[in-house]
Amino acid sequence: MVSIQNKVALVTGAASGIGRAAAHLLALEGAQVLAVDRDESGVGRVCEAISARGARAGCAVCDLGEAEQIRAMVESALAQYGRIDVLVHAAGICHAMPLLQLSDDQWRETLRINLDGTFFLTRDVGRAMVEQGSGTMILMTSDRGVYGSIDYAHYAASKGGMIALTKSLALALGKHGVTVNGLNPGMTDTPLARTANPKNWDIKAAADVLGKAAMPDEIAQTILFLAGTGGAYTTGQILGTRIRYGQ
Ligand SMILES: NC(=O)c1ccc[n+]([C@@H]2O[C@H](COP(=O)([O-])OP(=O)(O)OC[C@H]3O[C@@H](n4cnc5c(N)ncnc54)[C@H](O)[C@@H]3O)[C@@H](O)[C@H]2O)c1
């Protein structure tokens, strides 16, 4: 088993949903977590909650669509902790809009945060991991990035781009001891998913493969696996949490 005890784990989107659950679980398993989000009060509360449970978490505020902010945040993390062993990238946005009604700004904002930001972040963290000669990245992708979507074309395009980036990173960094995987969490009960599915949540959840939506803590268990034992040799893979049902 590969332990994450005393590993430095940078977790984005840590103020809410899947990122928050991952930050808690990794910290409780012994990692030194750096929780990052643009929601300053939210990420602060998460760090306090983790510390209150006797685990270790620092926090940083960063707009993860902005290259300069990302560079400064990664530099500061390296100055503080000396290394980054695990990157969990869960920051993202998702807003419904029929494809032909999408505005230029809606398209650009989704691509800015979900895809541009992922490139800036993984490039900067990737450089540090290559220098260390080790590391693992887990990027939250989506089934929509594989299958497309009528009302989420901008989101699907951003996640499809993330999937291609995951594979490219795996190819580029593998010989430097760095593994990179994507995780499609499926329908998970978070503010993002509730906002994106305002109607018929219970019906959609009941129709999913396991008869319910995932809870963020359940997705965090898969992230923990990929951060440790699962990420030791597996790379360039896009894991789904369950077989996809029609939608
Ligand atoms: N929940 C689902 O059903 C589901 C399904 C497929 C994929 N995903 C993906 O999982 C990831 C986590 O989603 P979630 O459901 O936990 O969402 P969430 O809304 O609960 O959490 C997302 C977090 O990202 C942060 N964030 C958004 N934009 C940011 C930015 N520019 N800079 C910094 N932080 C920013 C938000 O403040 C929030 O704390 C996302 O990438 C999402 O696309 C979720």
Side-chain angles (χ1 to χ4, degrees):
M1 298 290 282
V2 177
S3 166
I4 62 152
Q5 187 82 34
N6 295 324
K7 296 257 175 88
V8 176
L10 195 163
V11 182
T12 75
S16 177
I18 295 168
R20 178 170 60 190
H24 270 273
L25 185 59
L26 293 175
L28 290 174
E29 290 291 322
Q32 165 64 60
V33 165
L34 176 61
V36 183
D37 206 286
R38 67 178 171 183
D39 173 357
E40 184 171 5
S41 54
V43 80
R45 280 194 299 276
V46 168
C47 286
E48 279 169 24
I50 291 173
S51 301
R53 297 169 84 178
R56 293 171 294 166
C59 59
V61 179
C62 178
D63 182 337
L64 288 152
E66 292 299 310
E68 285 305 323
Q69 290 191 35
I70 291 169
R71 183 172 301 127
M73 181 273 292
V74 171
E75 273 174 15
S76 159
L78 290 168
Q80 191 173 357
Y81 301 112
R83 54 191 295 115
I84 300 170
D85 299 300
V86 176
L87 170 66
V88 177
H89 182 36
I93 59 169
C94 176
H95 303 292
M97 184 57 65
L99 201 162
L100 297 182
Q101 291 168 32
L102 267 172
S103 70
D104 298 1
D105 285 348
Q106 285 164 331
W107 173 270
R108 287 198 189 103
E109 181 64 355
T110 300
L111 272 287
R112 180 184 79 84
I113 294 175
N114 290 3
L115 184 56
D116 295 357
T118 302
F119 166 64
F120 302 140
L121 179 69
T122 55
R123 178 193 59 190
D124 293 356
V125 172
R127 286 174 178 157
M129 288 181 170
V130 164
E131 205 171 309
Q132 293 163 195
S134 66
T136 191
M137 301 185 191
I138 301 116
L139 311 182
M140 300 309 298
T141 47
S142 169
D143 283 343
R144 293 188 201 273
V146 178
Y147 300 105
S149 176
I150 297 169
D151 288 339
Y152 300 88
H154 47 333
Y155 178 76
S158 73
K159 293 293 174 178
M162 283 180 70
I163 288 170
L165 181 60
T166 300
K167 294 177 182 181
S168 299
L169 284 162
L171 291 170
L173 307 186
K175 290 199 172 57
H176 301 278
V178 180
T179 60
V180 186
N181 292 294
L183 177 62
N184 296 348
M187 185 179 183
T188 307
D189 195 349
T190 68
L192 176 147
R194 287 271 181 176
T195 307
N197 296 283
K199 291 185 211 151
N200 302 327
W201 174 271
D202 291 339
I203 293 167
K204 286 183 184 170
D208 211 308
V209 177
L210 292 172
K212 66 183 189 81
M215 295 310 292
D217 288 347
E218 293 170 313
I219 303 303
Q221 292 290 346
T222 309
I223 291 171
L224 173 65
F225 170 69
L226 287 172
T229 304
Y233 194 83
T234 303
T235 196
Q237 301 305 299
I238 307 301
L239 278 81
T241 52
R242 80 283 190 260
I243 188 169
R244 185 176 179 268
Y245 73 110
Q247 55 182 325

